[in-house]
Amino acid sequence: MKIKTYYPFFFLIFFIIGCGQSTEEDSLRILPAGSVIGFQAENGAYSWKGIPFAEAPIGDLRWKSPRNPSPWEGVLEAKEFRSACFQGSSLLALMMAGIGVVVKIVFI
C-alpha cells in the first residue's frame, strides 16, 4: 500500500525531468528576418518548428505571391508548430465520408 503514496512524487519527478524540449544553443541560426533557436530531437538531429516563411495572405495580400515575413526582435524559439492554416474538406473527402456512412448502414 505504501507504493501508491509515491505515485504523485514519481509523476512530479518525471514531469520535471522528462517533459518539455530544451532549446540548444548550437541550434541558434541567424535568418534574414531574425534569429531562431531550435532543439535537439531524440535522434540527435536539430529541429526548428513554426518558423514563419511568409506574411499571412490577408487583405491586400490575398491571391498574391507570398511576401517575406516581417522581421522579429530577439530570438524566436522554434520548438512547436504554430497554428495550422484553415483548409476545408475536399470534395473527395466528403464523398468518401458519404460512402462510409452508406456502407455502415448496409452492414448494420
Side-chain angles (χ1 to χ4, degrees):
M1 291 293 197
K2 289 185 178 183
I3 294 174
K4 290 183 180 180
T5 60
Y6 293 113
Y7 283 131
F9 176 75
F10 286 122
F11 176 77
L12 181 63
I13 295 298
F14 285 121
F15 180 78
I16 292 172
I17 294 173
C19 287
Q21 300 164 330
S22 62
T23 55
E24 297 287 336
E25 293 297 325
D26 291 338
S27 71
L28 180 66
R29 299 294 186 266
I30 310 299
L31 303 177
S35 299
V36 64
I37 192 166
F39 65 95
Q40 192 166 15
E42 292 178 9
N43 63 1
Y46 290 117
S47 179
W48 299 268
K49 298 178 179 180
I51 300 173
F53 64 91
E55 286 293 319
I58 55 176
D60 293 339
L61 297 178
R62 185 89 170 146
W63 307 114
K64 305 279 183 177
S65 47
R67 303 285 191 259
N68 290 333
S70 298
W72 56 83
E73 296 293 324
V75 178
L76 176 70
E77 287 192 9
K79 299 189 314 180
E80 297 177 355
F81 289 116
R82 305 290 190 249
S83 300
C85 295
F86 174 77
Q87 184 172 358
S89 297
S90 67
L91 181 59
L92 179 61
L94 292 173
M95 289 173 35
M96 293 301 288
I99 292 171
V101 170
V102 171
V103 171
K104 289 178 187 174
I105 292 172
V106 171
F107 286 106
I108 290 178

